[in-house]
Amino acid sequence: MTNLRDLTLKEMENFVQEMGEPKFRAKQVFGWIYKGKTDFREMTNLPEVFRNKLKEKAYIGTVEPLKIQKSKTDGTRKYLYRLEDGNLIESVFMKYKYGNSICVSSQAGCRMGCRFCASTRNGLERNLTPGEIVSQLMAAEADTGERIGHIVVMGTGEPFDNYENLSRFLNIVNDSNGLNIGMRNITVSTCGLVPVIEKFGDEFPQVNLAISLHGTTDKIRGSMMPVNNKYPLGVLIPACREYTQKTGRRITFEYTMVNGVNDSDEDAVRLSKLLKGMLCHVNIIPLNKVAESGFDTVSRKRAEVFAKLLEIHGIVVTVRRELGADIDAACGQLRLGRQ
Ligand code: SAH
């Protein structure tokens, strides 16, 4: 059985043609799916014979919300979803002035091992399929009754460690016959898998790229992020410069501030030197507490002083407004579960 939410429109066209149906049927089915229909009987402009054939070969996979937590302060909702095989993943719905956004997970678990992040505690269970990523959005739209116009791929998992499915997901949500979410309304965040950065720049130059930096020397970054041993700063930063030059797009560098590790004035100065002249901006995130990590956060005040220092040195910087902290929905707090 094929989960039709796993298919891009092109793939769906091949699928219906293999069934001996005309290609345009795919567009009709695709349209219904992203209007939220999960039952072929509701696809009223399809011939009954075709609907019956579809039912034999395919289904529209969903993710089941097991738990929905609503923030008391800011309209954020955290979803715990159950996948078909029992794996549990989380997503976060956020309200911004410019519209609604969803933070989706790209893997069940994660194997990158960042020491401050809860998502990687139990390692990687498996990659999510394109349908499982898009279904996180569909279920949140159904629950809130609101349209979601922005996506950040910043939930559990390393999206560049699941690149094939990520790219199919991007094509699915961008398709004008379905959700029609502009590539520029999507942001993908990576811990820095260098070879994929180049590929991503070639294939999705319109999608926003965020890089988790968090350290200004290999020693500091490596102490928090094992990926730095494979792709140290001397490799990562030139790849980022090349990306901005080739695409003309600004990179967002995420910088999670950890007390006593990467939060000194010298760190700010080194950071500004590292990024000097690059088309980029820095997004400071005061560390969110993860019980087992042993790392300590910094005050909002310290984050702002650090940001000011960067600004003085010519770097464009913002301090991330944390949404959903009261429901453990903030960065690095999403976890893998099983049921
Ligand atoms: N694997 C991707 C996607 C995760 S995005 C990546 O690494 O970019 C989530 C962002 O939150 C990343 O920048 C991550 O480093 C950061 N993060 C993880 N744990 C955090 C924590 N406890 N506090 C603040 N930020 C955290």
Side-chain angles (χ1 to χ4, degrees):
M1 290 287 262
T2 301
N3 176 2
L4 294 181
R5 278 192 186 161
D6 280 337
L7 305 186
T8 62
L9 179 58
K10 258 211 188 84
E11 290 166 339
M12 205 176 290
E13 285 172 349
N14 292 337
F15 185 78
V16 300
Q17 283 177 309
E18 272 164 30
M19 289 168 70
E21 294 286 329
K23 196 168 136 186
F24 75 89
R25 291 277 177 232
K27 232 176 230 176
Q28 293 177 313
V29 176
F30 195 87
W32 284 118
I33 291 176
Y34 295 105
K35 278 196 187 83
K37 302 293 183 212
T38 52
D39 187 335
F40 296 123
R41 281 174 302 192
E42 291 179 288
M43 304 183 178
T44 47
N45 59 353
L46 305 181
E48 200 182 332
V49 186
F50 175 46
R51 276 187 274 162
N52 290 338
K53 269 206 278 187
L54 266 179
K55 222 174 106 187
E56 274 167 33
K57 290 198 163 13
Y59 69 103
I60 297 153
T62 54
V63 292
E64 186 198 341
L66 282 189
K67 192 163 148 197
I68 304 173
Q69 285 168 275
K70 299 179 188 173
S71 163
K72 289 190 179 63
T73 51
D74 54 34
T76 301
R77 293 186 186 195
K78 180 164 84 165
Y79 294 91
L80 176 70
Y81 291 122
R82 185 181 185 282
L83 306 179
E84 280 168 32
D85 66 355
N87 273 307
L88 303 179
I89 55 160
E90 294 181 312
S91 319
V92 182
F93 168 88
M94 291 161 287
K95 286 180 108 52
Y96 288 99
K97 279 194 213 92
Y98 56 74
N100 298 322
S101 175
I102 187 150
C103 175
V104 295
S105 293
S106 56
Q107 296 181 311
C110 181
R111 58 181 178 144
M112 295 298 127
C114 299
R115 287 182 50 208
F116 45 81
C117 182
S119 303
T120 195
R121 285 280 139 195
N122 299 313
L124 176 70
E125 189 67 35
R126 68 171 172 83
N127 283 331
L128 299 189
T129 67
E132 287 170 331
I133 310 176
V134 76
S135 289
Q136 297 170 50
L137 179 153
M138 296 300 291
E141 278 197 347
D143 171 60
T144 56
E146 291 187 39
R147 162 118 172 100
I148 295 171
H150 291 77
I151 301 174
V152 295
V153 187
M154 294 192 183
T156 297
E158 167 49 45
F160 283 1
D161 190 34
N162 183 16
Y163 186 74
E164 277 315 302
N165 290 345
L166 172 77
S167 65
R168 286 159 81 197
F169 161 75
L170 294 173
N171 287 319
I172 291 169
V173 294
N174 178 241
D175 202 298
S176 57
N177 299 286
L179 296 169
N180 196 18
I181 297 177
M183 291 294 191
R184 284 178 185 254
N185 288 357
I186 307 173
T187 302
V188 174
S189 179
T190 178
C191 65
L193 299 181
V194 168
V196 191
I197 293 175
E198 192 187 340
K199 197 164 155 184
F200 182 72
D202 289 337
E203 295 178 4
F204 296 100
Q206 309 265 45
V207 176
N208 305 299
L209 177 63
I211 306 269
S212 298
L213 191 58
H214 311 329
T216 52
T217 66
D218 283 327
K219 189 154 178 260
I220 298 173
R221 189 166 190 265
S223 75
M224 294 186 282
M225 303 176 69
V227 69
N228 194 72
N229 301 327
K230 193 153 182 201
Y231 304 111
L233 291 169
V235 177
L236 175 63
I237 298 298
C240 291
R241 283 188 194 276
E242 203 176 308
Y243 169 93
T244 58
Q245 282 155 6
K246 209 156 63 178
T247 59
R249 303 296 313 280
R250 169 191 302 262
I251 290 182
T252 299
F253 285 100
E254 295 154 292
Y255 193 89
T256 293
M257 281 182 74
V258 185
N259 188 21
V261 176
N262 64 0
D263 64 335
S264 69
D265 291 359
E266 294 79 62
D267 286 298
V269 174
R270 262 198 308 268
L271 182 55
S272 61
K273 283 197 183 133
L274 200 62
L275 303 181
K276 201 172 173 160
M278 202 194 307
L279 184 58
C280 69
H281 103 268
V282 172
N283 193 211
I284 308 258
I285 319 169
L287 181 85
N288 295 306
K289 286 202 187 69
V290 170
E292 317 88 315
S293 85
F295 287 123
D296 194 11
T297 189
V298 299
S299 66
R300 182 96 196 164
K301 185 90 199 293
R302 178 63 202 147
E304 274 158 15
V305 171
F306 191 90
K308 195 82 211 158
L309 257 173
L310 285 176
E311 219 171 83
I312 291 168
H313 286 85
I315 301 289
V316 184
V317 56
T318 46
V319 180
R320 188 174 290 186
R321 214 177 108 227
E322 278 307 343
L323 297 176
D326 62 326
I327 51 173
D328 276 359
C331 308
Q333 295 184 314
L334 304 185
R335 330 178 151 253
L336 168 74
R338 267 204 71 82
Q339 212 208 16

